[in-house]
């Protein structure tokens, strides 16, 4: 008997296996029992016996009334199972999809799986995920058939005709997604929007809350229409076509998006030398997008290395920022102090590893801790964490990084989380511990020891990471 507490997540992962021992599957009732199960995964290897697959299929069918998510992902050479028409595998998937109930999440890890399944009867889905590079018309048809009920769409649009999301390929009519709150469109390579994809007066996503488009696939502002009051999270790649579109249609004005709290920009300005003439022009463009945003990711200020101080100064008029990511900037201690003082609500800062920088006249390293206490403390009372990520750089001086963290902790009373990348965490913690024992810091050792991250604690689990 299958227990009622079994949660409904089935992941069918087809693999050819690596040894003869892997090639059979044993299934019994215990696979579905136990309070520890909040989801259920089964890796299926190519069976030597159809009876093994039949036994598994029986258990899956018993569980279906409780299923809320199905993830079918062939891996490695297993895709050949679909290409060769392996009847046992295909029949199992057909049985599974044949009894899919309403409001099920479907993750398609392979277009081959989709091509072999009859998905026409599947209606009223709330979430679809599709991550393959190859464009599959069956997936697009599945999306458009479920436009009325879809709430979350996450798809790879590489090679895709994205006009199919807005206009039905068969009827020619325009589509509307009245329940959609999360839209994620991404491509594994640069995608140039079709200049023919102009949709005048169409409002397909009127209740969108989260939009992640990398890159933006249309030549007009069709994705932004009708949701200025609901959009709360925006992630977009800065490419010339998108910047031109945002400017042309004046998508963002100082008061246009009152609930937009998180803005993440991505881009490589080195590849677009004429996109912005100066750092001031770039920062003005970025900061015009939701001036009241609480969370910001501003990329690629290394394009203007001699001007990033100017870029930092332009943030002073945005004192509402609580989480700030400058992933390409290495801040000196003094730049960090100036930035934190100008952003009184800042709680989390993300940068490249820091340096101490040039010391003030008459101040030596020996007296620097006391100088920081006397000159700056208390400041940045909301700051709790500084995240530094080396981004594969090998020239990082972690003694300097640790010193900066400790000095900042002397000035900021609630700063208690020095977050570094996982691979350098242990080394960094050793350096911190040694520095805390030095004369300049030892008097504050009990408080400074809060910076020592407990073993197993992952800074990626920070609440602000969920936004970034």
């Amino acid at each position: 008997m299958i227990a009622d507490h079994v949660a409904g997540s089935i992941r069918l992962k087809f693999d050819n296996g690596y040894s003869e021992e892997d090639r059979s599957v044993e299934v019994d009732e215990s696979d579905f029992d136990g309070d520890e199960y909040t989801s259920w995964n089964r890796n299926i290897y190519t069976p030597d016996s159809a009876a093994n697959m039949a036994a598994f299929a029986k258990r899956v069918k018993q569980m279906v009334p409780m299923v809320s998510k199905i993830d079918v992902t062939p891996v490695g050479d297993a895709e050949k199972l679909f290409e060769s028409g392996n009847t046992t595998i295909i029949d199992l998937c057909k049985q599974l999809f044949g009894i899919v109930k309403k409001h099920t999440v479907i993750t398609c890890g392979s277009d081959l799986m989709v091509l072999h399944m009859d998905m026409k009867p599947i209606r009223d889905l709330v979430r679809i995920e599709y991550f393959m590079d190859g464009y599959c018309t069956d997936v697009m048809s599945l999306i458009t058939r479920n436009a009325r009920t879809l709430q979350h769409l996450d798809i790879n649009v590489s090679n895709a005709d994205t006009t199919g999301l807005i206009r039905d390929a068969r009827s020619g009519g325009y589509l509307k997604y009245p329940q959609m709150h999360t839209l994620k469109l991404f491509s594994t390579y640069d995608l140039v929007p079709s200049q023919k994809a102009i949709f005048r007066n169409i409002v397909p996503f009127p209740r969108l809350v989260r939009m992640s488009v990398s890159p933006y696939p249309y030549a007009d502002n069709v994705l932004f229409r009708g949701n200025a009051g609901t959009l709360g999270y925006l992630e977009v790649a800065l490419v010339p076509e998108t910047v031109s579109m945002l400017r042309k249609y004046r998508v963002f004005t100082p008061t246009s998006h009152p609930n937009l709290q998180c803005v993440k920009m991505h881009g490589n300005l080195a590849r677009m030398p004429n996109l912005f003439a100066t750092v001031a022009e770039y920062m003005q463009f970025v900061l015009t997008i939701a001036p009241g945003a609480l969370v910001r990711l501003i990329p690629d200020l290394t394009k203007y290395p001699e001007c990033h101080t100017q870029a930092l100064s332009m943030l002073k008029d945005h004192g509402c920022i609580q989480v700030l990511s400058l992933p390409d900037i290495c801040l000196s201690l003094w730049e960090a102090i100036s930035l934190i003082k100008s952003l009184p609500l800042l709680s989390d800062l993300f940068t490249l590893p820091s340096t101490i920088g040039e010391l003030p006249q008459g101040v030596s390293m020996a007296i620097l801790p006391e100088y920081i206490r006397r000159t700056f403390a208390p400041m940045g009372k909301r700051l709790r964490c500084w995240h530094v990520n080396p981004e594969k750089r090998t020239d990082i001086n972690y003694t300097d990084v640790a010193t900066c963290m400790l000095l900042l902790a002397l000035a900021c009373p609630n700063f208690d989380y020095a977050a570094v990348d996982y691979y350098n965490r242990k080394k960094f913690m050793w350096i911190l511990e040694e520095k805390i024992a030095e004369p300049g810091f030892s008097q504050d050792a009990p408080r400074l020891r809060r910076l020592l991250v407990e073993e197993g604690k992952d800074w990626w689990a920070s609440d602000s990471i969920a936004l970034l």
Side-chain angles (χ1 to χ4, degrees), residues 345-388:
L345 300 181
L346 188 67
S347 65
D348 286 70
L349 178 63
F350 298 74
T351 68
L352 289 175
S354 53
T355 62
I356 295 173
E358 186 177 347
L359 296 181
Q361 187 173 1
V363 177
S364 67
M365 286 299 297
I367 65 172
L368 185 56
E370 184 55 33
Y371 174 81
I372 294 293
R373 290 187 190 95
R374 187 178 65 251
T375 308
F376 299 109
M379 58 165 265
K381 295 181 180 180
R382 297 286 188 93
L383 185 74
R384 67 180 187 87
C385 185
W386 189 354
H387 311 250
V388 296

Side-chain angles (χ1 to χ4, degrees), residues 51 87 120 127 191 269 279 375 393 406:
T87 55
K120 292 180 181 178
R127 179 168 179 153
L191 179 70
L269 299 185
V279 68
T375 308
R393 290 176 56 176
L406 291 171

Side-chain angles (χ1 to χ4, degrees), residues 168-362:
D168 191 301
R170 293 188 176 183
S171 69
Y174 291 108
L175 296 162
K176 188 171 184 178
Y177 301 78
Q179 305 299 323
M180 184 81 74
H181 58 71
T182 299
L183 178 65
K184 297 182 180 181
L185 307 178
F186 68 95
S187 175
T188 52
Y189 54 85
D190 290 344
L191 179 70
V192 178
S194 170
Q195 295 304 309
K196 297 179 181 179
I198 301 292
F199 303 98
R200 303 186 188 282
N201 303 319
I202 304 302
V203 183
F205 301 99
R207 299 180 63 182
L208 211 55
V209 176
R210 295 176 66 92
M211 184 194 306
S212 178
V213 283
S214 183
Y216 187 86
Y218 302 105
D220 65 6
N221 62 340
V222 62
L223 297 187
F224 290 95
R225 292 182 198 149
N227 50 46
T230 60
L231 194 63
Y233 175 102
L234 174 65
E235 182 175 5
V236 63
L238 290 179
V239 297
E241 293 81 7
T242 301
V243 172
S244 297
M245 182 277 295
L246 293 174
R247 286 171 166 169
K248 177 181 178 180
Y249 290 93
R250 299 188 72 247
V251 172
F252 294 100
T253 66
T255 59
S256 62
H257 291 73
N259 295 308
L260 185 51
Q261 296 188 348
C262 181
V263 179
K264 293 175 59 177
M265 317 296 281
H266 299 286
N268 186 343
L269 299 185
R271 295 169 55 189
M272 300 171 281
N274 300 319
L275 193 55
F276 300 99
T278 64
V279 68
E281 182 183 344
Y282 172 54
M283 289 296 290
Q284 184 177 10
F285 172 82
V286 170
L287 295 174
T288 298
I289 299 176
L294 307 182
V295 181
R296 285 194 178 276
L297 187 153
I298 304 175
D300 219 21
L301 286 173
T302 50
K303 162 116 172 109
Y304 312 97
E306 73 286 356
C307 300
H308 87 233
T309 301
Q310 181 184 358
L312 296 176
S313 69
M314 294 180 69
L315 289 167
K316 293 180 180 179
D317 295 329
H318 297 265
C320 59
I321 295 176
Q322 297 178 14
V323 179
L324 178 64
S325 177
L326 304 169
D328 312 290
I329 283 186
C330 177
L331 293 179
S332 72
L333 172 65
W334 314 106
E335 288 174 325
I337 288 174
S338 176
L339 179 64
I340 293 164
K341 288 177 66 176
S342 69
L343 301 175
L345 300 181
L346 188 67
S347 65
D348 286 70
L349 178 63
F350 298 74
T351 68
L352 289 175
S354 53
T355 62
I356 295 173
E358 186 177 347
L359 296 181
Q361 187 173 1

